[in-house]
């Protein structure tokens, strides 16, 4: 997941109370009371705080790339077994799933943590900084939890342990989904991650009613939780434009077709998609060319140029419209110069939408997990494959601030080699996960046995 926030505003409980409409679960509720086990969950979380930090540091020191989280999965499965659970491993290649069976009937909540790291060499000066390397696209690269998925795993383990401690009283079940490969994996390995977990039936038995997930976020102050009903994160799709010109000597451009000039014109023309053709009062959108490969030296005009980019949208109609326009612009500009193009658009992750009713229903719980520290977010143009889960069942994805207040102006963003997590924020995230689960289960418990 990547992205930058826009601005935040304080969420008031009054807003939630006036608009609460529980369309979910067996029993409609106006505002969720703390569950009867809330205090015991807090006590269990307080007791496990040193472990939470220890787990996070172990994972941070030992990051693994997507679909290669072998040791991470072993670590997770061992912890889950120590809690008395029976984890299933090898789910969606390297994922781990376990179910907490409550003592009474009720709904099913899924909690998701992604486990993969990025091909980034860590530059943060920490005693537990990563020195790991791996092979990525044929090159040896550093590996780092530069998106903070190490913290997601640690927070979900802590939440799971706390929920197990009150399992007898819990109405319903909790599916713990430790997911591999959230960050993009090579095409040959897709589908992967959340999409593959769903294909393998992770939400089918027991049948999941709602899903909660967290993401640490550098642009939020530590201690705060970021929340947004409706669309939160964008759909992310990638495109590749291969411009075929005709090679010639750099001193005689007239005897060839210069793909660098054609490619440059395509880059410039693509700028008009968002600025001139989309109704951006409806939803924001982004078209970025992030890679332009062409040529080998100053006096050779090459045969080919390759442009690679990303498309971010919050609306399916705009998404389809952009696909068509990118293709038409590339083909039209190329044709004007006698070049040809091949345009490939690869669909990535859908829009991450927080179910509005569920989000409002859980707001009081978030306020209890982070008193006075819940912020309503604007849309973020980053993307997440949590969207696949939230497309299957109502979902809520919450951002956890991890930047100390005095570093807000200078903090490196997620995916940076200098991405830094203030660990004092992690108990808040674990608390949000565990308390949202318990509050939801009790509020939607079946009335009688
Ligand atoms: Zn990421
Ligand atoms: Zn991420």
């Amino acid at each position: 997941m990547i992205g930058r926030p826009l601005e935040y505003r304080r969420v008031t409980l009054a807003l939630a109370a006036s608009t609460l409409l529980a369309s979910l679960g067996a029993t409609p509720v106006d505002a969720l009371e703390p569950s009867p086990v809330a205090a015991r969950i807090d006590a269990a979380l307080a007791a496990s705080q040193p472990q939470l930090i220890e787990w996070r540091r172990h994972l941070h020191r030992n990051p693994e790339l997507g679909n290669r989280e072998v040791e991470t999965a072993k670590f997770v499965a061992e912890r889950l077994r120590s809690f008395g659970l029976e984890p299933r491993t090898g789910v969606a290649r390297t994922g781990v799933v376990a179910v907490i069976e409550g003592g009474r009937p009720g709904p099913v909540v899924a909690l998701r943590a992604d486990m993969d790291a990025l091909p980034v060499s860590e530059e943060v000066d920490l005693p537990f900084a990563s020195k790991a390397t791996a092979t990525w696209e044929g090159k040896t690269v550093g590996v780092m939890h530069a998106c903070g998925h190490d913290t997601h795993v640690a927070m979900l383990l802590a939440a799971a342990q706390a929920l197990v401690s009150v399992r007898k009283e819990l109405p319903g079940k909790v599916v713990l989904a430790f997911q591999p490969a959230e960050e993009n994996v090579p095409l040959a390995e897709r589908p992967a991650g959340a999409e593959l977990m769903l294909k393998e039936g992770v939400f089918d038995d027991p049948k999941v009613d709602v899903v909660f997930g967290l993401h640490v976020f550098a642009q939020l102050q530590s201690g705060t939780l970021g929340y947004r009903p409706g669309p939160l994160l964008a759909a992310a799709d990638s495109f590749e434009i291969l411009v075929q010109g005709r090679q010639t000597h750099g001193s005689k451009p007239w005897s060839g077709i210069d793909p660098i000039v054609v490619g440059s014109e395509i880059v410039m023309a693509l700028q008009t998609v968002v600025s001139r053709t989309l109704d951006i009062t409806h939803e924001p959108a982004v078209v970025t060319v992030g890679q332009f490969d062409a040529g080998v030296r100053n006096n050779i005009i090459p045969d080919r140029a390759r442009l690679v980019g990303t498309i971010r949208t919050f609306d399916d109609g705009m998404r389809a419209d952009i696909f068509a326009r990118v293709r038409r612009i590339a083909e039209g500009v190329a044709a004007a110069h006698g070049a040809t193009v091949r345009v490939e658009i690869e669909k990535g992750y859908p829009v991450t939408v927080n179910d509005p009713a569920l989000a409002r229903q859980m707001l009081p719980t978030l306020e209890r997990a982070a008193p006075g520290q819940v912020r309503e977010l604007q849309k973020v143009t980053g993307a997440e494959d949590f969207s696949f889960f939230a497309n299957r069942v109502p979902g809520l994805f919450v951002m956890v601030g991890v930047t100390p207040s005095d570093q807000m102006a200078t903090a490196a963003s997620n995916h940076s080699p200098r991405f830094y997590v203030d660990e004092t924020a992690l108990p808040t995230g674990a608390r949000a996960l565990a308390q949202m689960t318990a509050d939801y289960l009790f509020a939607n418990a079946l009335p009688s046995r």
Side-chain angles (χ1 to χ4, degrees):
M1 200 298 299
I2 46 169
R4 294 206 146 257
L6 304 167
E7 61 191 55
Y8 316 107
R9 82 188 141 87
R10 196 64 186 77
V11 175
T12 62
L13 278 172
L15 161 79
S18 65
T19 52
L20 278 174
L21 263 179
S23 62
L24 303 159
T27 318
V29 286
D30 289 329
L32 295 194
E33 294 299 316
S35 76
V37 293
R40 285 170 55 202
I41 286 176
D42 277 346
L45 286 171
S48 70
Q49 255 188 46
Q51 270 180 310
L52 163 62
I53 303 302
E54 209 179 287
W55 294 334
R56 185 265 160 162
R57 291 183 181 184
H58 172 84
L59 294 163
H60 192 82
R61 201 194 292 264
N62 298 287
E64 295 171 296
L65 294 175
N67 280 343
R68 289 141 184 83
E69 305 92 332
V70 177
E71 296 304 321
T72 306
K74 266 189 213 161
F75 179 85
V76 167
E78 275 165 27
R79 301 283 93 61
L80 294 173
R81 272 185 217 108
S82 78
F83 305 160
L85 298 172
E86 292 168 14
R88 259 191 311 137
T89 57
V91 182
R93 295 193 183 92
T94 45
V96 183
V97 175
V99 179
I100 302 174
E101 306 266 353
R104 297 195 284 136
V108 180
V109 171
L111 299 177
R112 175 274 207 161
D114 42 7
M115 305 194 292
D116 54 324
L118 284 159
V120 171
S121 296
E122 177 147 18
E123 291 176 14
V124 187
D125 184 19
L126 291 170
F128 53 92
S130 167
K131 295 184 179 65
T133 59
T135 305
W136 175 251
E137 294 184 335
K139 289 182 213 144
T140 301
V141 292
V143 183
M144 175 191 175
H145 271 295
C147 205
H149 299 182
D150 51 338
T151 69
H152 303 169
V153 173
M155 287 187 281
L156 182 52
L157 283 172
Q161 190 179 27
L163 289 166
V164 167
S165 76
V166 295
R167 145 157 78 181
K168 285 203 181 69
E169 287 90 328
L170 280 187
K173 299 181 204 295
V174 186
V175 174
L176 306 167
F178 291 89
Q179 181 208 305
E182 191 283 322
E183 307 286 357
N184 279 328
V185 289
L187 263 183
E189 296 180 30
R190 294 181 208 167
E195 193 180 6
L196 189 56
M197 281 191 122
L198 286 173
K199 284 204 163 87
E200 292 188 5
V202 168
F203 274 26
D204 299 337
D205 184 26
K207 202 173 166 320
V208 169
D209 293 303
V210 294
V211 59
F212 298 130
L214 296 179
H215 207 298
V216 292
F217 198 31
Q219 275 81 35
L220 265 183
Q221 193 175 313
S222 47
T224 59
L225 296 175
Y227 140 104
R228 180 184 170 81
L232 171 67
L233 296 159
D237 307 300
S238 59
F239 63 88
E240 183 189 76
I241 300 172
L242 215 57
V243 182
Q244 181 69 50
R246 195 169 64 241
Q247 195 276 319
T248 182
H249 196 285
S251 65
K252 295 195 302 170
W254 52 86
S255 60
I257 297 172
D258 187 343
I260 295 179
V261 170
V262 177
S264 303
E265 251 185 65
I266 291 172
V267 173
M268 296 313 292
L270 289 177
Q271 306 312 306
T272 64
V273 174
V274 173
S275 70
R276 302 290 87 181
T277 63
L278 295 177
D279 179 0
I280 51 167
T281 63
H282 177 57
E283 290 287 2
V286 176
V287 177
T288 290
V289 177
Q291 198 179 343
F292 190 141
D293 305 323
V296 289
R297 59 172 276 146
N298 70 324
N299 58 0
I300 302 174
I301 290 171
D303 250 337
R304 249 171 299 177
R306 177 171 167 265
L307 315 182
V308 184
T310 186
I311 297 167
R312 304 297 168 109
T313 50
F314 292 89
D315 175 276
D316 283 343
M318 289 168 80
R319 190 183 190 191
D321 191 26
I322 292 177
F323 289 0
R325 288 180 189 277
V326 165
R327 194 174 290 282
R328 200 189 315 152
I329 284 172
E331 289 170 356
V333 171
H337 295 282
T340 56
V341 283
R342 202 182 72 213
V343 180
E344 274 177 22
I345 296 175
E346 179 73 28
K347 269 195 162 188
Y349 298 163
V351 182
T352 302
V353 181
N354 285 327
D355 183 85
L358 180 66
R360 295 201 170 93
Q361 191 183 14
M362 300 322 299
L363 180 57
T365 307
L366 295 178
E367 280 283 351
R368 285 192 289 273
Q373 299 290 323
V374 179
R375 304 282 181 268
E376 183 163 347
L377 298 175
Q378 289 206 352
K379 292 177 186 115
V380 177
T381 46
E384 245 287 344
D385 78 348
F386 183 83
S387 49
F388 288 102
F389 293 133
N391 276 354
R392 177 69 67 92
V393 299
L396 179 58
F397 197 60
V398 176
M399 300 295 210
V400 179
V402 289
T403 298
S405 55
D406 59 345
Q407 293 170 30
M408 288 305 296
T410 53
S413 66
N414 294 56
H415 288 206
S416 162
R418 293 179 303 282
F419 176 66
Y420 169 75
V421 169
D422 176 3
E423 290 174 335
T424 65
L426 304 186
T428 305
R431 193 178 185 203
L433 278 179
Q435 298 292 11
M436 282 199 295
T437 305
D439 288 0
Y440 183 87
L441 291 178
F442 276 93
N444 296 282
L446 301 178
S448 60
R449 310 194 56 163

